[in-house]
Amino acid sequence: MAILEAVKIHKSYGNKFTKQEVLKGIDLRIAKGEFVSIMGASGSGKTTLLNVLSSIDRVSHGSIKIEDTEITGRKEKKLAEFRKHHLGFIFQEYNLLDTLTVKENILLPLSISKVPRKEALTRFEALAKDLGILEIADKYPNEISGGQKQRTSAARAFVHQPSIIFADEPTGALDSKSASDLLNKLSELNEKRSSTIAMVTHDPVAASYCTRVIFIKDGQIYTQLTKGEQSRQTFFKDIMKTQGVLGGVQDEY
């Protein structure tokens, strides 16, 4: 079952004199329960692709459906309502509210959606336990580490049980141990809850935790790798080989 289906996605910037075509007719399906990574060299379009798939930006042409709901062309008010119920986001810079505790930050999406308090607390406790942050529930963001902030951000993304979670370089601001801790937790949640995750990353180690890696080159899908039954270490080597063919990956617009 496809949670997300994108057909002939085009994205351009500028006018007819300065037009820059970033995405050039991408077709993409993400099935329920997949943990997908999007990789590519600087300027390849991977971040732009994530932005249009997640409704942060709008396509120039093409169709994007999430849970069989067409999101392209929707008015902003309806799109915002759709995001609130169906999409989760994990950003590189955490985006936590400094005036709220860890617990309050995580519960915020449920408060906005008016989920009953008892159910909200049940969801919070289960997620906080799974992500190893239950003991810091009453601390504020300035009192916890970067790794703990990002796991709080992840809990906030998962707590309203969205159709799909979009992660934009979620390990970019973390040290290697904190990054590994987060990726292990995301992988566990993906398996335990059949959560669907689409993640942009420049890091082949991060990508090796996924079930599928999509490589973007010049605004098109260049190739894809599926992990299958192979070990993460073997999958990492395959990713590195493909990345080498593409000339490496760097940060991009």
mmCIF file of all heavy atoms in Angstrom, residues 26-27 39-41 44 213-225 241-247:
data_model
loop_
_atom_site.group_PDB
_atom_site.id
_atom_site.type_symbol
_atom_site.label_atom_id
_atom_site.label_comp_id
_atom_site.label_asym_id
_atom_site.label_seq_id
_atom_site.Cartn_x
_atom_site.Cartn_y
_atom_site.Cartn_z
ATOM 1 N N ILE A 26 9.918 13.734 -11.654
ATOM 2 C CA ILE A 26 10.180 12.601 -10.750
ATOM 3 C C ILE A 26 8.907 11.823 -10.444
ATOM 4 O O ILE A 26 7.865 12.392 -10.128
ATOM 5 C CB ILE A 26 10.831 13.104 -9.440
ATOM 6 C CG1 ILE A 26 12.278 13.489 -9.708
ATOM 7 C CG2 ILE A 26 10.739 12.058 -8.329
ATOM 8 C CD1 ILE A 26 13.031 14.004 -8.497
ATOM 9 N N ASP A 27 8.998 10.509 -10.554
ATOM 10 C CA ASP A 27 7.944 9.585 -10.126
ATOM 11 C C ASP A 27 8.451 8.832 -8.898
ATOM 12 O O ASP A 27 9.574 8.312 -8.910
ATOM 13 C CB ASP A 27 7.614 8.568 -11.225
ATOM 14 C CG ASP A 27 6.968 9.198 -12.442
ATOM 15 O OD1 ASP A 27 6.219 10.173 -12.272
ATOM 16 O OD2 ASP A 27 7.226 8.716 -13.560
ATOM 17 N N MET A 39 19.214 10.789 -1.116
ATOM 18 C CA MET A 39 20.583 11.286 -1.157
ATOM 19 C C MET A 39 20.885 11.879 -2.528
ATOM 20 O O MET A 39 20.211 11.552 -3.509
ATOM 21 C CB MET A 39 21.580 10.157 -0.857
ATOM 22 C CG MET A 39 21.411 9.487 0.488
ATOM 23 S SD MET A 39 22.763 8.325 0.847
ATOM 24 C CE MET A 39 24.074 9.472 1.300
ATOM 25 N N GLY A 40 21.915 12.705 -2.589
ATOM 26 C CA GLY A 40 22.325 13.284 -3.856
ATOM 27 C C GLY A 40 23.362 14.357 -3.645
ATOM 28 O O GLY A 40 23.521 14.894 -2.550
ATOM 29 N N ALA A 41 24.086 14.696 -4.706
ATOM 30 C CA ALA A 41 25.127 15.709 -4.623
ATOM 31 C C ALA A 41 24.523 17.093 -4.444
ATOM 32 O O ALA A 41 23.317 17.290 -4.615
ATOM 33 C CB ALA A 41 25.988 15.662 -5.884
ATOM 34 N N SER A 44 21.506 18.676 -6.486
ATOM 35 C CA SER A 44 20.803 17.593 -7.188
ATOM 36 C C SER A 44 19.288 17.708 -7.089
ATOM 37 O O SER A 44 18.554 17.178 -7.919
ATOM 38 C CB SER A 44 21.231 16.234 -6.627
ATOM 39 O OG SER A 44 20.874 16.132 -5.251
ATOM 40 N N VAL A 213 17.225 3.443 -0.258
ATOM 41 C CA VAL A 213 17.905 4.712 -0.504
ATOM 42 C C VAL A 213 17.659 5.124 -1.946
ATOM 43 O O VAL A 213 17.883 4.345 -2.878
ATOM 44 C CB VAL A 213 19.423 4.617 -0.236
ATOM 45 C CG1 VAL A 213 20.090 5.970 -0.491
ATOM 46 C CG2 VAL A 213 19.693 4.154 1.187
ATOM 47 N N ILE A 214 17.173 6.362 -2.119
ATOM 48 C CA ILE A 214 16.907 6.921 -3.445
ATOM 49 C C ILE A 214 17.972 7.977 -3.727
ATOM 50 O O ILE A 214 18.162 8.904 -2.943
ATOM 51 C CB ILE A 214 15.507 7.567 -3.492
ATOM 52 C CG1 ILE A 214 14.430 6.507 -3.216
ATOM 53 C CG2 ILE A 214 15.254 8.239 -4.843
ATOM 54 C CD1 ILE A 214 13.065 7.094 -2.929
ATOM 55 N N PHE A 215 18.681 7.819 -4.843
ATOM 56 C CA PHE A 215 19.721 8.763 -5.222
ATOM 57 C C PHE A 215 19.190 9.707 -6.303
ATOM 58 O O PHE A 215 18.675 9.257 -7.329
ATOM 59 C CB PHE A 215 20.957 8.027 -5.743
ATOM 60 C CG PHE A 215 21.675 7.233 -4.687
ATOM 61 C CD1 PHE A 215 21.317 5.912 -4.428
ATOM 62 C CD2 PHE A 215 22.704 7.787 -3.947
ATOM 63 C CE1 PHE A 215 21.968 5.165 -3.464
ATOM 64 C CE2 PHE A 215 23.371 7.054 -2.976
ATOM 65 C CZ PHE A 215 22.998 5.745 -2.727
ATOM 66 N N ILE A 216 19.333 11.007 -6.040
ATOM 67 C CA ILE A 216 18.878 12.036 -6.973
ATOM 68 C C ILE A 216 20.085 12.644 -7.673
ATOM 69 O O ILE A 216 21.101 12.948 -7.042
ATOM 70 C CB ILE A 216 18.114 13.154 -6.230
ATOM 71 C CG1 ILE A 216 16.953 12.568 -5.412
ATOM 72 C CG2 ILE A 216 17.604 14.209 -7.217
ATOM 73 C CD1 ILE A 216 15.873 11.923 -6.225
ATOM 74 N N LYS A 217 19.970 12.813 -8.991
ATOM 75 C CA LYS A 217 21.025 13.460 -9.769
ATOM 76 C C LYS A 217 20.382 14.364 -10.810
ATOM 77 O O LYS A 217 19.520 13.920 -11.577
ATOM 78 C CB LYS A 217 21.916 12.425 -10.457
ATOM 79 C CG LYS A 217 23.073 13.036 -11.242
ATOM 80 C CD LYS A 217 23.936 11.964 -11.877
ATOM 81 C CE LYS A 217 25.121 12.589 -12.624
ATOM 82 N NZ LYS A 217 25.973 11.547 -13.258
ATOM 83 N N ASP A 218 20.781 15.624 -10.811
ATOM 84 C CA ASP A 218 20.273 16.590 -11.798
ATOM 85 C C ASP A 218 18.748 16.620 -11.864
ATOM 86 O O ASP A 218 18.152 16.659 -12.941
ATOM 87 C CB ASP A 218 20.844 16.291 -13.183
ATOM 88 C CG ASP A 218 22.363 16.392 -13.221
ATOM 89 O OD1 ASP A 218 22.912 17.211 -12.450
ATOM 90 O OD2 ASP A 218 22.991 15.664 -13.998
ATOM 91 N N GLY A 219 18.112 16.571 -10.693
ATOM 92 C CA GLY A 219 16.662 16.706 -10.635
ATOM 93 C C GLY A 219 15.870 15.481 -11.028
ATOM 94 O O GLY A 219 14.650 15.548 -11.198
ATOM 95 N N GLN A 220 16.541 14.345 -11.152
ATOM 96 C CA GLN A 220 15.864 13.097 -11.505
ATOM 97 C C GLN A 220 16.370 11.971 -10.617
ATOM 98 O O GLN A 220 17.452 12.062 -10.031
ATOM 99 C CB GLN A 220 16.112 12.746 -12.978
ATOM 100 C CG GLN A 220 15.568 13.776 -13.961
ATOM 101 C CD GLN A 220 15.910 13.433 -15.393
ATOM 102 O OE1 GLN A 220 17.062 13.133 -15.711
ATOM 103 N NE2 GLN A 220 14.915 13.463 -16.266
ATOM 104 N N ILE A 221 15.578 10.900 -10.524
ATOM 105 C CA ILE A 221 16.043 9.735 -9.771
ATOM 106 C C ILE A 221 17.096 9.010 -10.599
ATOM 107 O O ILE A 221 16.838 8.587 -11.726
ATOM 108 C CB ILE A 221 14.874 8.792 -9.425
ATOM 109 C CG1 ILE A 221 13.945 9.478 -8.409
ATOM 110 C CG2 ILE A 221 15.406 7.480 -8.836
ATOM 111 C CD1 ILE A 221 12.734 8.649 -8.019
ATOM 112 N N TYR A 222 18.298 8.913 -10.049
ATOM 113 C CA TYR A 222 19.420 8.268 -10.739
ATOM 114 C C TYR A 222 19.366 6.758 -10.555
ATOM 115 O O TYR A 222 19.463 5.992 -11.508
ATOM 116 C CB TYR A 222 20.736 8.830 -10.201
ATOM 117 C CG TYR A 222 21.966 8.134 -10.721
ATOM 118 C CD1 TYR A 222 22.416 8.359 -12.016
ATOM 119 C CD2 TYR A 222 22.685 7.252 -9.907
ATOM 120 C CE1 TYR A 222 23.551 7.716 -12.494
ATOM 121 C CE2 TYR A 222 23.823 6.621 -10.372
ATOM 122 C CZ TYR A 222 24.249 6.845 -11.671
ATOM 123 O OH TYR A 222 25.372 6.207 -12.140
ATOM 124 N N THR A 223 19.202 6.329 -9.308
ATOM 125 C CA THR A 223 19.088 4.902 -9.011
ATOM 126 C C THR A 223 18.536 4.734 -7.602
ATOM 127 O O THR A 223 18.387 5.709 -6.857
ATOM 128 C CB THR A 223 20.452 4.192 -9.133
ATOM 129 O OG1 THR A 223 20.257 2.769 -9.091
ATOM 130 C CG2 THR A 223 21.401 4.591 -8.012
ATOM 131 N N GLN A 224 18.229 3.503 -7.230
ATOM 132 C CA GLN A 224 17.729 3.191 -5.895
ATOM 133 C C GLN A 224 18.400 1.926 -5.392
ATOM 134 O O GLN A 224 18.731 1.035 -6.180
ATOM 135 C CB GLN A 224 16.208 2.981 -5.906
ATOM 136 C CG GLN A 224 15.424 4.159 -6.456
ATOM 137 C CD GLN A 224 13.926 3.931 -6.391
ATOM 138 O OE1 GLN A 224 13.402 3.490 -5.370
ATOM 139 N NE2 GLN A 224 13.232 4.238 -7.480
ATOM 140 N N LEU A 225 18.592 1.849 -4.081
ATOM 141 C CA LEU A 225 19.106 0.646 -3.440
ATOM 142 C C LEU A 225 18.119 0.187 -2.375
ATOM 143 O O LEU A 225 17.596 1.014 -1.622
ATOM 144 C CB LEU A 225 20.461 0.910 -2.776
ATOM 145 C CG LEU A 225 21.651 1.294 -3.670
ATOM 146 C CD1 LEU A 225 22.864 1.606 -2.798
ATOM 147 C CD2 LEU A 225 21.968 0.169 -4.641
ATOM 148 N N LYS A 241 29.531 2.923 -2.540
ATOM 149 C CA LYS A 241 29.905 2.703 -3.946
ATOM 150 C C LYS A 241 29.077 3.581 -4.871
ATOM 151 O O LYS A 241 29.603 4.209 -5.793
ATOM 152 C CB LYS A 241 29.710 1.228 -4.311
ATOM 153 C CG LYS A 241 30.724 0.288 -3.707
ATOM 154 C CD LYS A 241 30.395 -1.159 -4.078
ATOM 155 C CE LYS A 241 31.336 -2.130 -3.382
ATOM 156 N NZ LYS A 241 30.960 -3.544 -3.654
ATOM 157 N N THR A 242 27.768 3.631 -4.618
ATOM 158 C CA THR A 242 26.889 4.440 -5.462
ATOM 159 C C THR A 242 27.190 5.917 -5.287
ATOM 160 O O THR A 242 27.214 6.685 -6.255
ATOM 161 C CB THR A 242 25.417 4.154 -5.112
ATOM 162 O OG1 THR A 242 25.172 2.751 -5.245
ATOM 163 C CG2 THR A 242 24.484 4.917 -6.040
ATOM 164 N N GLN A 243 27.452 6.318 -4.064
ATOM 165 C CA GLN A 243 27.800 7.710 -3.788
ATOM 166 C C GLN A 243 29.078 8.097 -4.516
ATOM 167 O O GLN A 243 29.208 9.210 -5.035
ATOM 168 C CB GLN A 243 27.967 7.910 -2.288
ATOM 169 C CG GLN A 243 28.339 9.332 -1.890
ATOM 170 C CD GLN A 243 28.490 9.469 -0.389
ATOM 171 O OE1 GLN A 243 27.577 9.159 0.355
ATOM 172 N NE2 GLN A 243 29.641 9.920 0.059
ATOM 173 N N GLY A 244 30.007 7.164 -4.585
ATOM 174 C CA GLY A 244 31.259 7.416 -5.294
ATOM 175 C C GLY A 244 31.026 7.664 -6.776
ATOM 176 O O GLY A 244 31.660 8.538 -7.382
ATOM 177 N N VAL A 245 30.101 6.915 -7.362
ATOM 178 C CA VAL A 245 29.751 7.107 -8.770
ATOM 179 C C VAL A 245 29.156 8.499 -8.994
ATOM 180 O O VAL A 245 29.404 9.153 -10.011
ATOM 181 C CB VAL A 245 28.760 6.019 -9.243
ATOM 182 C CG1 VAL A 245 28.261 6.321 -10.647
ATOM 183 C CG2 VAL A 245 29.418 4.644 -9.200
ATOM 184 N N LEU A 246 28.371 8.940 -8.003
ATOM 185 C CA LEU A 246 27.732 10.253 -8.105
ATOM 186 C C LEU A 246 28.693 11.403 -7.787
ATOM 187 O O LEU A 246 28.341 12.564 -7.927
ATOM 188 C CB LEU A 246 26.535 10.331 -7.158
ATOM 189 C CG LEU A 246 25.299 9.528 -7.571
ATOM 190 C CD1 LEU A 246 24.270 9.534 -6.460
ATOM 191 C CD2 LEU A 246 24.701 10.089 -8.847
ATOM 192 N N GLY A 247 29.872 11.062 -7.299
ATOM 193 C CA GLY A 247 30.843 12.109 -7.007
ATOM 194 C C GLY A 247 30.768 12.675 -5.620
ATOM 195 O O GLY A 247 31.198 13.788 -5.357
#
